[in-house]
Structures are given as structure tokens and as C-alpha cells.
């Protein structure tokens, strides 16, 4: 008796397999990536972005509750009136209310006080904020850590408030900052300032041009605004990621070690020791270089003296011809 033939295998649809390199990727959800018009906090980390987000939520939640009170998580069921809590006779109406409640809850989730979004750069996390002033919150965190010297993070490096964002093109930046800078620099307000610039995944912007244009705008708002690169009252932070320009004006940038959470908790003694060790290394390099140059010079002098003595010991041409 002949064996039964195996049934032919069904072909899987093309979409069954994982997307390959040449296939289009699924579009990202709106509002989950950094874009112009957002405010928040830009955080740099040490390779571990997932852990960085967790540390950021914990730290921002702790200080956010202190400054603004606990975050309110509204429940649409608790806000229903007494008549609405009664069981609905119409199943369609009940299903409709349930769907509306789910949509409302989803919207509220998007409007949380802190929400991580895609930054567009490696080792950079952006936390979008709602209903708070990022510069005040971050300054408060750094001030407390600077005073207590208590280390609260492991992978977070710098934490920069972002008070405004615009498109990363020079004309857009000029138009946006003419209004953005007014609270700090428009007469009668004035102050000393510096501009710090960083660009990631962007090659069309010129650092020199951006600094020149923004400094000119600050000066036009009040001629008494002066540049101070040592200890300015205000630091204009310009962080460009792809086609988004992130801006903020911060205080105590030098005192808080460029808003670095790892450095701000170090004591002055530790900083002095680091500077001393660095100075010693630099001095040793200088001494080493000078010694090598002196040895080289000495060898050159010896070689010159040797050549000179050989020349003097050789007989002159006319002496050889004298009989």
C-alpha cells in the first residue's frame, strides 16, 4: 500500500515575516518624538538610556511633588454623577460611555507631568513636561544636590531644562529668540551672559554663525547686556538635535558644574585634588618635553663639535701642494 502523500504547505503571506532592511518602518506615534513646540528636560547619560529614563522619572517625580504637589491621576469613573453610576438599561449607551472614558483616559495619559519622548540622538533622553517650569525645577534639583552633596543618580550625567524649541534653521531661530529672550534680556532687564552650543546629528548649522546671531539679538534687546565667559549671570543653552533647536536660559551654570549631576555633588576638596593632579600631570609632561629637547640639543652640539674638529684636523689644500 502506497504511503499517503504529504499535504502541500501553505505559503505565508508576505507581510508575515519581519521587516527587512529594505522595507518601510512603522511610523512613530505622534507626540512621542522631540519636535518644535515642546518644552521639557534634556538629559545626557552614560550608555544606558533605559535606566536613565527610570532615574529621570524617579528624580523628577520626587522634586516635582515637593514643588508642585503630588500629581493628580484623574479617574473618569470617580467623576461620574450619581445617575451615571446607575446601571444603564441600554447596552449601546453603556458601550459608548465606556469608549468615551477610555479615550479620555488615554488623552490624560499623554498629558502626564513627565513623559519620555524619542530625542533623536544616542545617549540623550528628552522628558517632555506639562504644567511646570523646567528651568525652575532643574535649578531647584541642582541647588539641593549642590548643598547636600548627596548623589542620587548613577547613569544621568547632565540635566538641562529646555524652555522652548523651534526648527533648527538660522532664520527660524532668529525669529523665535527675538521673543524668547525678552524675559531675561529686554530692557529694563539686563545681565552678563554666555552662549554654549552643541549639535548632534546635524551638519548644516554653523556654530560660529549661530553664536554670532544670537549674541546680536541679546545685544539688540538691551545694549547693556554684556558677554562674560568666566562667571556670567545667565547662560544661553543651545542644543540642536537633527532639525530641532532646544533653547534655555539658565542661572548658576558655572557654580553647578555645567548642570552635571555627577560633578555638582563633589566637594570643593575633591575638585581641587582633581585640578592638582591634572596640573601635576601637565607639569610632568612639560618637564619631560623640556628634558627631551635639552638632550636633543646636547646631541646636536656634540655632533657639531665633532664635525668641526674633523674639519680642523684635515690638511689644507695649498699645504699639500707646497714642496
Amino acid at each position: 500500500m502506497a504511503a499517503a502523500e504529504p499535504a502541500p504547505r501553505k505559503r505565508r503571506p508576505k507581510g508575515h515575516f519581519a521587516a527587512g532592511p529594505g522595507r518601510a518602518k512603522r511610523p512613530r506615534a505622534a507626540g512621542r518624538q522631540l519636535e518644535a513646540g515642546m518644552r521639557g528636560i534634556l538629559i545626557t547619560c552614560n550608555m544606558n538610556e533605559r535606566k536613565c529614563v527610570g532615574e529621570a522619572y524617579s528624580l523628577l517625580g520626587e522634586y516635582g511633588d515637593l514643588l508642585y504637589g503630588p500629581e493628580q491621576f484623574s479617574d473618569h469613573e470617580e467623576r461620574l454623577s450619581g445617575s451615571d453610576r446607575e446601571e444603564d438599561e441600554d447596552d449601546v449607551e453603556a458601550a459608548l460611555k465606556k469608549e468615551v472614558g477610555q479615550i479620555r483616559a488615554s488623552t490624560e495619559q499623554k498629558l502626564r507631568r513627565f513623559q519620555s519622548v524619542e530625542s533623536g540622538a544616542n545617549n540623550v533622553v528628552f522628558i517632555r513636561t506639562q504644567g511646570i517650569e523646567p528651568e525652575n525645577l532643574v535649578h531647584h534639583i541642582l541647588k539641593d544636590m549642590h548643598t547636600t552633596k548627596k548623589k542620587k543618580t548613577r547613569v544621568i550625567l547632565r540635566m538641562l531644562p529646555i524652555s522652548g524649541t523651534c526648527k533648527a534653521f538660522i532664520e527660524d531661530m532668529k525669529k523665535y529668540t527675538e521673543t524668547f529672550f525678552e524675559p531675561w534680556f529686554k530692557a529694563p532687564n539686563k545681565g552678563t551672559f554666555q552662549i554654549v552650543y552643541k549639535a548632534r546629528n546635524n551638519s548644516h548649522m554653523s556654530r560660529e554663525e549661530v553664536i554670532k546671531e544670537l549674541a546680536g539679538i541679546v545685544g539688540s534687546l538691551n545694549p547693556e547686556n554684556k558677554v562674560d565667559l568666566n562667571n556670567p549671570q545667565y547662560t544661553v543653552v543651545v542644543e540642536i538635535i537633527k532639525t530641532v533647536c532646544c533653547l534655555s536660559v539658565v542661572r548658576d551654570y558655572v557654580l553647578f558644574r555645567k548642570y552635571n549631576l555627577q560633578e555638582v555633588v563633589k566637594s570643593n576638596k575633591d575638585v581641587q585634588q582633581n585640578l592638582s593632579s591634572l596640573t601635576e600631570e601637565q607639569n610632568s609632561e612639560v618637564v619631560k618635553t623640556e628634558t627631551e629637547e635639552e638632550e636633543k640639543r646636547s646631541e646636536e652640539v656634540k655632533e657639531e663639535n665633532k664635525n668641526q674638529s674633523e674639519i680642523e684636523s684635515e690638511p689644507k689644500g695649498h699645504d699639500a701642494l707646497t714642496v
Side-chain angles (χ1 to χ4, degrees):
M1 183 176 178
E5 294 184 1
R9 296 178 61 184
K10 294 182 180 180
R11 289 189 178 184
R12 296 176 180 176
K14 293 181 179 180
H16 177 85
F17 298 97
R23 298 194 60 181
K25 296 182 179 180
R26 184 177 60 182
R28 295 177 177 176
R32 295 305 302 272
Q33 56 186 328
L34 177 61
E35 56 189 21
M38 286 186 176
R39 304 179 71 199
I41 300 167
L42 188 146
I43 302 171
T44 62
C45 63
N46 188 9
M47 302 301 292
N48 195 333
E49 293 184 23
R50 183 183 295 273
K51 191 172 182 180
C52 176
V53 172
E55 285 189 352
Y57 278 146
S58 176
L59 189 67
L60 295 174
E62 175 187 348
Y63 286 92
D65 289 349
L66 289 174
L67 289 180
Y68 306 101
E71 187 173 4
Q72 300 296 324
F73 300 97
S74 57
D75 186 351
H76 69 280
E77 292 181 356
E78 294 179 358
R79 293 180 298 174
L80 291 174
S81 63
S83 59
D84 291 333
R85 287 195 183 99
E86 295 177 357
E87 185 177 356
D88 294 313
E89 296 179 358
D90 191 346
D91 293 338
V92 176
E93 185 178 355
L96 180 60
K97 284 189 176 183
K98 183 178 180 180
E99 185 177 355
V100 170
Q102 290 175 345
I103 295 173
R104 184 184 301 166
S106 176
T107 304
E108 290 168 356
Q109 180 70 16
K110 293 180 181 179
L111 299 178
R112 292 280 301 275
R113 181 180 286 174
F114 304 111
Q115 180 66 54
S116 173
V117 301
E118 293 287 340
S119 69
N122 293 331
N123 299 321
V124 178
V125 171
F126 190 87
I127 305 294
R128 185 182 60 186
T129 59
Q130 294 285 344
I132 67 170
E133 297 293 334
E135 60 273 15
N136 293 337
L137 175 60
V138 175
H139 188 273
H140 181 83
I141 293 173
L142 286 158
K143 184 179 180 180
D144 184 63
M145 295 180 68
H146 179 265
T147 302
T148 62
K149 300 300 179 186
K150 184 177 180 180
K151 187 175 180 179
K152 296 192 174 186
T153 62
R154 290 181 177 273
V155 299
I156 291 178
L157 299 179
R158 300 176 71 205
M159 181 175 280
L160 297 168
I162 302 301
S163 303
T165 52
C166 64
K167 293 182 179 180
F169 299 96
I170 195 64
E171 293 302 322
D172 294 89
M173 294 170 63
K174 287 167 62 177
K175 183 178 180 180
Y176 184 79
T177 53
E178 286 175 356
T179 304
F180 178 78
F181 286 152
E182 288 183 355
W184 299 276
F185 301 115
K186 185 177 181 179
N189 299 327
K190 63 179 180 179
T192 57
F193 72 98
Q194 68 172 343
I195 299 175
V196 294
Y197 175 93
K198 176 72 176 179
R200 297 178 176 87
N201 299 338
N202 180 293
S203 58
H204 72 269
M205 299 296 297
S206 166
R207 177 180 182 274
E208 291 74 17
E209 183 183 8
V210 170
I211 292 177
K212 179 181 177 181
E213 293 291 346
L214 298 189
I217 292 172
V218 173
S220 67
L221 292 173
N222 189 341
E224 295 186 25
N225 294 319
K226 302 298 181 183
V227 175
D228 183 352
L229 302 181
N230 296 319
N231 191 23
Q233 291 175 267
Y234 302 109
T235 295
V236 178
V237 176
V238 182
E239 291 275 345
I240 294 177
I241 303 178
K242 290 188 175 180
T243 59
V244 179
C245 173
C246 302
L247 293 162
S248 63
V249 179
V250 301
R251 298 169 288 148
D252 300 317
Y253 188 75
V254 176
L255 176 64
F256 293 158
R257 314 285 166 79
K258 300 180 179 180
Y259 278 43
N260 189 312
L261 271 61
Q262 303 299 321
E263 296 293 326
V264 77
V265 296
K266 293 181 179 179
S267 64
N268 293 331
K269 183 179 179 180
D270 294 334
V271 175
Q272 290 297 329
Q273 287 178 349
N274 291 339
L275 291 175
S276 299
S277 61
L278 181 60
T279 304
E280 289 176 2
E281 291 177 1
Q282 291 174 340
N283 290 338
S284 64
E285 288 296 326
V286 171
V287 171
K288 182 179 178 182
T289 304
E290 290 178 349
T291 303
E292 291 175 349
E293 290 179 352
E294 288 177 358
E295 291 177 354
K296 185 178 179 181
R297 237 182 267 117
S298 177
E299 291 295 330
E300 291 176 351
V301 171
K302 288 180 181 179
E303 188 68 25
E304 289 178 359
N305 292 337
K306 180 180 178 181
N307 294 337
Q308 185 65 29
S309 63
E310 289 177 354
I311 292 173
E312 291 177 353
S313 64
E314 289 180 357
K316 307 262 182 202
H318 64 274
D319 291 339
L321 294 174
T322 302
V323 177

